[in-house]
Amino acid sequence: MPEAYERHLVPVFFRPFAADLATRAAALRPRTVLELAAGTGALTSALLGAVPTASVVATDLNEAMVTAGSAREPRADWRLADAQELPFEDGGFDLVVCQFGVMFFPDRPAAYAEVRRVLAPQGRFLFNSWGPLASHGFGAAFQAALERSMPNGAPPFLKDVPHGYSDPAAVTADLTAAGLTLAGVEEVTLEGVAESAASVATGFLTGTPVSAAVEAREDAEALGAAVTQRMTDQLGTGPVTAPMTATVYTAHP
């Protein structure tokens, strides 16, 4: 999964927003940075480029992601860590950042409370979360193709998890419950550019938890081909572009 995620999804979805977050991080001039849910290191690399004098600790709960990320971006200190039980001392970081990871935390107020604990008194928590699925051109096209190809059981993963935490009011309530104060909310729409619709379909089918539902079927190969064709029919052949919307949040203790 990390290989497919890095090959097909990271360049299209994550690097554009990583550049955005890294620019915002650089404006804060941090010396010590903790990254949560770092994945294979798209934001990690952007941070190290934007704030070269900062020390960056990159963490993820998934051991395979940590292994892949540490090989790809060895300049960071990679650690296997649960965001809800961070293995770091109180007040040790000027900045905690997280790109498209908070949606996966089972208990977000608990994770945010850990962020508050490890932040220095004047520290900042900078993170983003995807908007509704309809605001993500590639995700919406994939889900539509999946539901047409699996009319009696298409996995709702994209709607429920990556795009299931898109209400700023809910995010604000969770931050408040953890003792953090919201300092800024900004909706950002960027253009994603993919080599083909087929590449994006492959990324979703093999680089996300959707893969488990598809691979368990006897007709997995035919199903994958049908989804890919439907995405191509909708988005076009050759290089394809689509808008992607996220919300960027800044909070402090």
Side-chain angles (χ1 to χ4, degrees), residues 70-176:
S70 59
R72 182 179 174 276
E73 187 44 87
R75 292 177 295 172
D77 176 12
W78 284 83
R79 300 279 296 275
L80 188 68
D82 183 344
Q84 295 171 194
E85 296 182 43
L86 293 172
F88 305 108
E89 64 182 19
D90 295 359
F93 296 95
D94 300 324
L95 176 65
V96 176
V97 294
C98 185
Q99 169 157 273
F100 301 129
V102 296
M103 307 90 73
F104 296 91
F105 299 160
D107 186 340
R108 296 182 192 104
Y112 295 160
E114 278 291 271
V115 169
R116 178 176 56 80
R117 181 182 65 78
V118 302
L119 273 175
Q122 304 303 315
R124 290 293 183 269
F125 179 29
L126 175 65
F127 64 100
N128 57 13
S129 180
W130 289 118
L133 182 58
S135 70
H136 192 293
F138 292 114
F142 174 77
Q143 189 65 30
L146 191 66
E147 289 175 358
R148 287 186 62 194
S149 304
M150 300 177 68
N152 298 315
F157 168 75
L158 286 187
K159 291 186 290 186
D160 291 352
V161 184
H163 297 275
Y165 193 49
S166 59
D167 181 0
V171 177
T172 301
D174 288 342
L175 290 168
T176 301

Side-chain angles (χ1 to χ4, degrees), residues 26 34 40 44 56 67-68 83 94 105 141 148 178 182 184 186 196 198 225 245-246:
L34 171 64
T40 56
T44 319
V56 177
T67 299
D94 300 324
F105 299 160
R148 287 186 62 194
L182 184 66
E186 183 179 346
S196 66
T245 297

